[in-house]
Amino acid sequence: MLTKKRRRLALRTCSLAGRLLIENGSNMDRVNDTLNHMARSAGLKDFQAFTTVTGMVLGANNLPNAIVMNIRRRKNDLSKIAAVNEISREMAQGLITLPEAYAQLKWVDRQGPYKFQNLVEALAAAVLSLALMIVFTGDYRDCWAGFIDGGISYAVFSYMIRKFKIQYLGEFCSSLVIGFLAVVMVKLGWAHDINDIIIGAVMPLVPGIPLTNAARDLVSGNLISGPTRGIEAILTAVAIGSAIVIVLHFV
């Protein structure tokens, strides 16, 4: 029989794990599966979890009191998802205790960007832009322009997201930069095709993870989170497209 204190700690541990998974881009199937494994390992009976992309409700042992958590921010950080899954597996295998699992989850939650994360992300986005520009357009002449445009625009995106924390603003502003740099490089005679440069540079901003999670949630029967993630992906695409259209029209 669980004591009241241990039951409360178990629910707090599950709620923290669920929040970390949802905030960092996990699909709902993974969230529910992880929460059920952790609740079972902690000894909770009759565990129930209602999870969406904006909040969750957890309860156990047929008690009237439950944990309600509101989730306000979401991003894509697969490293934190992997860390939570590893903690869940270790807890299920008996390698760590419930208090240790809670402490490790709190540590994962506190982890912010490392010192050169913005620079590394911008460089990775630049390489991705170059590679996908060649794959999609076959344009080798302007691939260096896609490299520069993709790297600078993603640096702007990272700065806007961390500075203002306003959804879709980062995608809109970085897309303005993409279009502006592409137009300037072509008009100065440094590059040849505006469209090819834009196609390569926007690839790091394309909402691939939300689209994938939306499809997975819909297939698994989650008719709340699936459409919500799909709408988020569509709004992101609209922010990117509208910024490019504004630049091409006025510059």
Side-chain angles (χ1 to χ4, degrees), residues 13 27 30 56 59 65 67 70 83 91 107 127 134 140 170 225 249:
T13 302
N27 62 296
R30 181 188 297 272
M56 58 183 175
N65 294 329
I67 289 182
N70 186 24
M91 187 176 171
W107 181 83
V127 173
I134 295 174
Y140 290 90
S225 298
H249 183 74

Side-chain angles (χ1 to χ4, degrees), residues 203 205-212 232-234 236-237 240:
M203 284 299 111
L205 302 178
V206 172
I209 294 177
L211 281 173
T212 302
E232 284 186 345
I234 291 172
T236 300
I240 295 171

Side-chain angles (χ1 to χ4, degrees), residues 141-142 144-145 181 184-193 197:
R141 298 179 304 170
D142 297 336
W144 65 269
L181 289 178
V184 168
M185 285 188 282
V186 171
K187 286 188 175 182
L188 292 177
W190 297 347
H192 302 84
D193 197 315
I197 298 171

Side-chain angles (χ1 to χ4, degrees), residues 30-201:
R30 181 188 297 272
V31 175
N32 293 328
D33 187 58
T34 300
L35 292 182
N36 286 326
H37 280 297
M38 296 187 75
R40 192 179 306 115
S41 302
L44 292 175
K45 304 296 183 183
D46 300 313
F47 178 77
Q48 298 291 330
F50 176 76
T51 57
T52 70
V53 293
T54 57
M56 58 183 175
V57 181
L58 307 179
N61 296 82
N62 291 323
L63 295 177
N65 294 329
I67 289 182
V68 180
M69 184 166 290
N70 186 24
I71 297 172
R72 296 181 178 274
R73 59 186 179 91
R74 290 180 298 280
K75 57 182 179 178
N76 298 317
D77 190 341
L78 301 184
S79 63
K80 287 194 175 184
I81 294 177
V84 173
N85 285 336
E86 182 63 26
I87 293 171
S88 173
R89 282 191 291 269
E90 291 180 355
M91 187 176 171
Q93 295 170 4
L95 301 178
I96 57 175
T97 63
L98 178 61
E100 290 172 341
Y102 184 72
Q104 290 184 23
L105 289 171
K106 293 288 286 184
W107 181 83
V108 172
D109 190 28
R110 288 194 299 267
Q111 295 307 297
Y114 52 87
K115 187 175 182 180
F116 298 106
Q117 183 169 339
N118 286 353
L119 179 61
V120 172
E121 288 180 351
L123 180 60
V127 173
L128 180 64
S129 298
L130 181 149
L132 292 183
M133 178 179 171
I134 295 174
V135 169
F136 290 137
T137 69
D139 188 351
Y140 290 90
R141 298 179 304 170
D142 297 336
C143 62
W144 65 269
F147 178 89
I148 293 174
D149 201 352
I152 293 175
S153 61
Y154 200 86
V156 172
F157 170 74
S158 297
Y159 173 79
M160 296 295 292
I161 289 296
R162 293 192 172 98
K163 180 70 174 178
F164 298 103
K165 296 181 174 62
I166 300 176
Q167 202 166 8
Y168 314 120
L169 179 64
E171 289 88 346
F172 182 80
C173 293
S174 57
S175 297
L176 289 176
V177 173
I178 288 172
F180 180 78
L181 289 178
V183 171
V184 168
M185 285 188 282
V186 171
K187 286 188 175 182
L188 292 177
W190 297 347
H192 302 84
D193 197 315
I194 293 176
N195 296 328
D196 289 354
I197 298 171
I198 291 175
I199 288 172

Side-chain angles (χ1 to χ4, degrees), residues 224-239:
I224 297 178
S225 298
T228 302
R229 291 186 188 275
I231 292 171
E232 284 186 345
I234 291 172
L235 290 176
T236 300
V238 169

